[in-house]
Amino acid sequence: MRPGPSKERDGRRPAGLAATDPGTAAAEAAVPGPPLGPPGARTRGARTQAGRGVRRPPAVLVVPACLAALLALLPLGYLAVRALERGPGFAWDVVVGDRSAQLLGRSLGLAALVVAVCLVLGVSLAWLTVRTALPGARAWSVLATLPLAVPSYVAAFTWLSAFPELAGFWGAALALTLVSFPYVYLPVTAALRGIDPAQEEVARSLGLGPVRTFVRVILPQLRHAAAGGAVLVALYVFSDFGAVSLMRYDTFTRGIYTSYRASFDRTPAAALSVVLVVMTVALVWAEGRTRGRAGQARTGAGAARPAVPLPLGRGTAPALIWCATVVTVAVAAPLGTLGYWLAVGSSATWDPAALADIAATTLGVAAAGAALTTLLALPVGVIAARHQGRLARLLEQSAYAGHALPGITVALSLVFFAVRYAEPVYQELPLLVCAYAVLFLPVAVAATRAAVLQAPPVLEDVARSLGRSPLRVLREVTVPLAAPGVAAGAALTFVVCMKELPATLLLRPTGMDTLATRLWTETGSGSFAAAAPYAATLILLAAVPSYLLGRHRT
């Protein structure tokens, strides 16, 4: 019997959206438990689900999922209104002007360099820690994820304070590379764990050495994961504000912020944001096209066993030096610089009581943002994992809309909405929490979707056959089974909420400071010793969930 057509798309992720946010792959890789399994297993599960017939998602999921989608789409509506406020001709002049062309070239050049270096770092570290007998592989794996805890503006601050001459393109590239290579490392690591080791064993039995086996057998199977991670890095660079601002290197995000602060006219900033959205859509589309229709699914179940670690032999020392160099530059150097400024500072430069109060505020705001984001992501993730059809695709795609925009644009859209339609929440905490939900909804959706896919759908079918309502099935079966993965997504969302800067700068209530905003204030005035305690506290707080996520995957 001839095999049927590929069901790769039944996995429920829309084509081109595998990497629409700089946290999606990290969220999926952070889901506790084994990886989603070999592609063949996922395909069989999709066929089984398709064989039972397509069910419409229940209203108990659709209604809150629609609310989440509307919230995520709000910034795009704002851009449409603002960009055309003075007519299409004015917006077109802004888009095709010399300033836009310059920002486009700078943004693309920076993204190209950062992506290239991150691919080298992420793929090499993943292969060394997963597939070789590297001494201390578990520890190196954890250390490779810790840069997730370092905000880009903290990395820029530490390098700029030590080497002021780095300001500009090379300084921005260095800071962004060191904090974003885990977005390649995590999905490639997950892919390496899912590859059938029998293919490598066959290649070696045919006389291929370790290098040729890696290039001809392993690397082609890592193409999708590495490409997805590369898109995450590129989108991270496109949307970054802190590092490029501190390094005084103009990209689209800094240009939007400058345009917003320089005039009460919001149309130029909105027009530049539209260009950034077009760049994002084009990048995601191109990544989807490069995948093609060919899948990596195997026809059988394969061997459910880990690969035998490859002995490094004489390569052990160079491998250890490489790992130590990356970790030193990405983790130890920023911490060492912060330690220096902490030692240089005195009680006159910072107040421990104020630091503790700001840290508590940061934790509270981030926790509120993570809670709302996780609640909004739950129905979207369940629908994406368990249901098919246009509605399911539309809801999942809509959840990614807000993340295509920089934080400042999302903040401006919420200010516009609050001033006109919800004035009581203007400059209040709920508006800031909503901004976090718009920005980081894809992180929680990706984790929820991956966790639900790992839960056997037959248990939900049994519950429904026993007369349970959709709400009870969700509460008593789906959520408990997916809880570890949802919690991992919430932890990652908590980390990124804690590090968020531009939206927090614009939307925080009057008189409220977070660690990120206070660090920004002190760094902007050149008070590096005064900024160091806030940077160190932010890294320490963010490192706890980042360490737990990395440790669980090793």
Side-chain angles (χ1 to χ4, degrees):
M1 183 175 179
R2 191 172 53 186
S6 171
K7 301 290 184 178
E8 183 178 285
R9 285 178 294 176
D10 289 345
R12 297 308 320 124
R13 168 144 316 168
L17 285 179
T20 48
D21 68 287
T24 301
E28 290 193 344
V31 174
L36 290 181
R42 294 178 66 182
T43 303
R44 289 193 302 275
R47 288 173 178 164
T48 302
Q49 181 177 338
R52 293 196 304 269
V54 178
R55 294 190 311 272
R56 292 182 178 179
V60 69
L61 292 176
V62 172
V63 172
C66 288
L67 293 177
L70 289 175
L71 180 62
L73 290 171
L74 182 62
L76 296 183
Y78 162 79
L79 284 183
V81 172
R82 279 299 192 194
L84 300 176
E85 194 171 35
R86 297 177 59 181
F90 181 83
W92 179 253
D93 290 340
V94 174
V95 170
V96 300
D98 293 338
R99 176 63 171 166
S100 296
Q102 182 186 41
L103 293 176
L104 177 63
R106 285 170 166 258
S107 298
L108 291 177
L110 181 63
L113 177 60
V114 173
V115 166
V117 180
C118 284
L119 283 173
V120 174
L121 296 178
V123 174
S124 63
L125 289 176
W127 183 72
L128 287 173
T129 56
V130 174
R131 284 303 181 93
T132 71
L134 180 72
R138 182 184 180 91
W140 292 118
S141 181
V142 172
L143 290 172
T145 63
L146 287 183
L148 288 174
V150 182
S152 64
Y153 49 87
V154 172
F157 152 68
T158 56
W159 286 101
L160 188 62
S161 63
F163 305 99
E165 63 276 8
L166 277 177
F169 174 82
W170 295 108
L174 175 65
L176 289 170
T177 298
L178 295 179
V179 300
S180 56
F181 78 83
Y183 293 125
V184 175
Y185 171 79
L186 284 170
V188 171
T189 297
L192 280 171
R193 290 194 176 103
I195 294 176
D196 189 352
Q199 301 178 45
E200 299 169 61
E201 294 167 0
V202 170
R204 292 173 191 167
S205 70
L206 295 175
L208 294 182
V211 176
R212 294 181 65 189
T213 299
F214 175 79
V215 173
R216 297 181 60 179
V217 178
I218 300 177
L219 197 57
Q221 298 183 76
L222 298 179
R223 181 169 63 90
H224 296 315
V231 172
L232 294 180
V233 174
L235 293 178
Y236 188 93
V237 175
F238 286 161
S239 63
D240 179 75
F241 170 75
V244 295
S245 296
L246 287 178
M247 290 293 181
R248 298 185 292 280
Y249 184 75
D250 284 339
T251 60
F252 266 106
T253 49
R254 191 169 187 235
I256 293 169
Y257 183 78
T258 303
S259 176
Y260 162 74
R261 297 298 298 268
S263 171
F264 289 104
D265 186 3
R266 304 291 183 258
T267 303
L272 292 176
S273 297
V274 171
V275 177
L276 191 58
V277 173
V278 172
M279 289 170 56
T280 299
V281 173
L283 180 65
V284 172
W285 176 84
E287 189 271 338
R289 293 286 294 178
T290 59
R291 292 189 218 163
R293 294 182 177 270
Q296 297 291 334
R298 47 188 168 185
T299 57
R305 58 184 175 82
V308 177
L310 175 68
L312 290 174
R314 294 181 179 179
T316 300
L320 288 174
I321 292 174
W322 173 246
C323 293
T325 300
V326 175
V327 170
T328 298
V329 177
V331 180
L335 294 180
T337 303
L338 289 178
Y340 167 79
W341 286 112
L342 287 172
V344 169
S346 63
S347 59
T349 59
W350 59 284
D351 182 2
L355 176 62
D357 183 62
I358 293 174
T361 301
T362 302
L363 291 174
V365 174
L372 177 63
T373 306
T374 303
L375 287 175
L376 292 175
L378 182 61
V380 179
V382 173
I383 290 176
R386 289 290 190 252
H387 300 276
Q388 303 177 33
R390 294 181 179 178
L391 178 61
R393 289 194 297 271
L394 178 62
L395 290 174
E396 187 180 10
Q397 291 172 3
S398 298
Y400 288 81
H403 202 83
L405 301 171
I408 185 173
T409 302
V410 172
L412 289 175
S413 68
L414 292 179
V415 168
F416 176 82
F417 173 80
V419 169
R420 296 200 175 198
Y421 307 108
E423 190 172 353
V425 301
Y426 177 65
Q427 290 295 124
E428 297 295 336
L429 184 60
L431 199 62
L432 177 58
V433 173
C434 287
Y436 290 158
V438 173
L439 287 168
F440 306 122
L441 187 61
V443 178
V445 168
T448 301
R449 174 186 171 278
V452 174
L453 282 174
Q454 288 182 349
V458 66
L459 300 179
E460 299 170 10
D461 294 340
V462 171
R464 279 188 290 268
S465 70
L466 295 176
R468 297 291 192 272
S469 66
L471 180 60
R472 291 191 65 185
V473 172
L474 178 68
R475 186 178 67 247
E476 298 177 2
V477 180
T478 308
V479 172
L481 289 174
V486 174
L492 189 57
T493 305
F494 175 79
V495 172
V496 293
C497 287
M498 198 161 42
K499 300 190 298 182
E500 205 285 328
L501 177 62
T504 309
L505 283 172
L506 291 182
L507 298 178
R508 56 182 170 151
T510 303
M512 189 193 87
D513 265 327
T514 65
L515 292 170
T517 60
R518 179 57 69 90
L519 169 64
W520 178 261
T521 301
E522 300 292 353
T523 305
S525 61
S527 304
F528 295 133
Y534 301 102
T537 304
L538 182 59
I539 290 178
L540 289 175
L541 292 178
V544 175
S546 298
Y547 166 78
L548 294 176
L549 290 173
R551 184 175 182 272
H552 197 96
R553 296 301 301 176
T554 56

